[in-house]
Amino acid sequence: MSDALSASPVAGQPLVVGIGGTIGGISSTERALAIALEAAGQEGFRTRLFGGAEMGRLPLYDPKATSRTAEERDFVDTIRQASALIIASPGYHGSISGVVKNALDLLEETARDPHRPYLADMPVGLIATAYGWQATGSTIAALRSIVHALRGWPTPFAAAVNSQVTKFDDEGGANDQAVLDQLRMVGQQVARFAPLAIQHG
């Protein structure tokens, strides 16, 4: 877990999990995700962030593997405990990054869960970052399609961040207030809809 970018779990509070980032250091995608997660935390949720470093330790998903690594088990078990999810991906060649897709592929491990297969009935917030506007739209569309396939509910608002214009800082801020507001809205929406998932559970 990225300690600098995630809140400490508090027993009894529902959990919002963030998935996103890139391998090779804390990226603008991971910083954007942390802002959205912080907004969910301010609504009374505990949060956990799986950033680029954590996803980079997940092996390529092998559906025929007879065992899973400790990192794979931790990821899947954490998603099983979540009441909501936020996924953030950079736009690579018009779609989501391989490291984010690999993490989502691992959720096939939940396919036969009696309580909640995949992301059934779970609210999922979406964030796309790209160096230019064109890839943000196609990346959000790809994320929505994947969430639908996993039986989740993409929340109404998705944040698109043009990293050519928006610059994040080490203090958890950015040079564009409108972008900050959009990212916080993603976190607020998953927090608003998460009680529905809790009641269903």
Side-chain angles (χ1 to χ4, degrees), residues 78-138:
T78 302
I79 299 300
R80 283 177 169 138
Q81 298 170 34
S83 297
L85 191 64
I86 302 175
I87 306 172
S89 177
Y92 285 176
H93 308 294
S95 190
I96 71 172
S97 68
V99 69
V100 172
K101 181 61 165 58
N102 184 58
L104 295 174
D105 286 346
L106 186 54
L107 297 182
E108 184 63 25
E109 293 295 291
T110 69
R112 293 178 176 82
D113 284 6
H115 168 62
R116 184 181 63 202
Y118 301 115
L119 303 177
D121 300 320
M122 184 187 294
V124 184
L126 304 177
I127 300 168
T129 65
Y131 197 71
W133 289 115
Q134 182 172 342
T136 61
S138 56

Side-chain angles (χ1 to χ4, degrees), residues 49-70:
L49 190 154
F50 287 92
E54 291 75 30
M55 291 188 298
R57 288 193 284 270
L58 296 175
L60 286 175
Y61 177 63
D62 178 2
K64 296 183 180 179
T66 58
S67 63
R68 297 294 170 195
T69 66

